[in-house]
Amino acid sequence: MLMVIGATGSVGREVVDLLLKDGEEVAAVTRDPGRAALPVGVHVVEGDPSAPGGISEWPDGTEAVLLNPRAVGTAAAHFLAHAAAHGVRRVVVLSAATVEHPAGHRRFADQFRAIEQTVRDSGVQWTFLRCADFAANALAWAPQIRATGIVRGAYPSAATSPLHQRDIAEVAVRALREPAHAGRAYLLTGPYSLDQRDKVRLIGEAIERELAFQEVAPEQVRQSLLAQGLPQDVPDRLLGSLADYAKAPGPTTDTVERLLGRPALTFRAWADDNAPAFLAPAAGS
Ligand SMILES: NC(=O)c1ccc[n+]([C@@H]2O[C@H](COP(=O)([O-])OP(=O)(O)OC[C@H]3O[C@@H](n4cnc5c(N)ncnc54)[C@H](OP(=O)(O)O)[C@@H]3O)[C@@H](O)[C@H]2O)c1
């Protein structure tokens, strides 16, 4: 049995689907099974991993766990102690590239360093997936693209190698199933570096619509995110890292290709897979 924490997230859902397809027994943790829309065949575990003791059930024979730092929050040590007590032998952590290539505010890198340290201290075997930015972050642009075809943002030249969530999921599945990945930290990125204008152009190609990136001042972006009700951390995280990636691009590695034996998926492939999110609804619908 393999357990997925954050099973309703962009990576978690892919991991659940891949494991089921491979015939594995999967326990998927969610706070709200009624809304989770998890696939048939999965063992749904109701619980909040961010609350100490918040997991209602540890299915027998749970061997390895995919750990989502956001979902487990500050309860990681508690969660890992329970996992170990229930026989879990391996933990695969969705960590971040910023751990070894710092960008943005230091406190965000420190959060990932802290969770990695907590996992190391737990005594359970670990694999760290230090992920570059997810291509799925571009979904934040979807409302603007649908409404106007123009993305308003700061730091147009900020460049990263965004990751398709399927690549993260395929690597996670290997690490969950194969003990040979224990003790390894993998720096995962997409296949090449793209700045923000490139990303908008590639989404435009996928939906066959000319899109534009319009530069606005960072403070304007901050105010508009806060006005949408997002917590202070969101603009801090976003603008801090973009400012640094405008000075020097984020890393690009061939780790996905080395681990999966095929090239990492491109941002254009991700945009094709997610095109419906960027398409304006047809008139009258
Ligand atoms: N986005 C990036 O560029 C990036 C880069 C590197 C690393 N990461 C890390 O990768 C993970 C993101 O993965 P993802 O996008 O697949 O998932 P996600 O959207 O962060 O969350 C997945 C699920 O976790 C549960 N969850 C979220 N917040 C929670 C909270 N405060 N308390 C309890 N449960 C919570 C929710 O499930 P239920 O509602 O079903 O319970 C949610 O659907 C995060 O830990 C992030 O820090 C992200």
Side-chain angles (χ1 to χ4, degrees), residues 119-210:
V119 173
R120 280 194 174 94
D121 294 343
S122 72
V124 177
Q125 292 183 350
W126 51 263
T127 306
F128 299 146
L129 308 184
R130 293 179 177 159
C131 301
D133 59 314
F134 295 1
N137 295 349
L139 288 171
W141 291 338
Q144 295 184 73
I145 289 178
R146 286 196 303 267
T148 65
I150 297 171
V151 173
R152 291 157 58 82
Y155 306 109
S157 62
T160 60
S161 294
L163 266 168
H164 195 304
Q165 65 268 16
R166 198 171 312 132
D167 284 346
I168 310 171
E170 284 192 28
V171 172
V173 163
R174 291 189 186 216
L176 285 167
R177 299 174 81 184
E178 300 166 11
H181 297 285
R184 309 295 301 270
Y186 296 123
L187 180 60
L188 304 181
T189 78
Y192 46 77
S193 195
L194 300 166
D195 70 20
Q196 301 215 80
R197 289 198 167 99
D198 296 327
K199 291 174 190 168
V200 170
R201 177 178 47 78
L202 289 164
I203 294 169
E205 286 177 15
I207 61 172
E208 298 180 356
R209 179 177 176 196
E210 198 160 326

Side-chain angles (χ1 to χ4, degrees), residues 6-12 29-32 36 47-50 68-72 94-97 112 131-134 137 237:
T8 59
S10 62
V11 178
V29 178
T30 174
R31 290 169 296 183
D32 188 349
D48 182 352
S50 68
N68 175 317
R70 188 176 298 147
V72 88
L94 282 178
S95 187
F112 285 104
C131 301
D133 59 314
F134 295 1
N137 295 349
R237 189 185 290 268

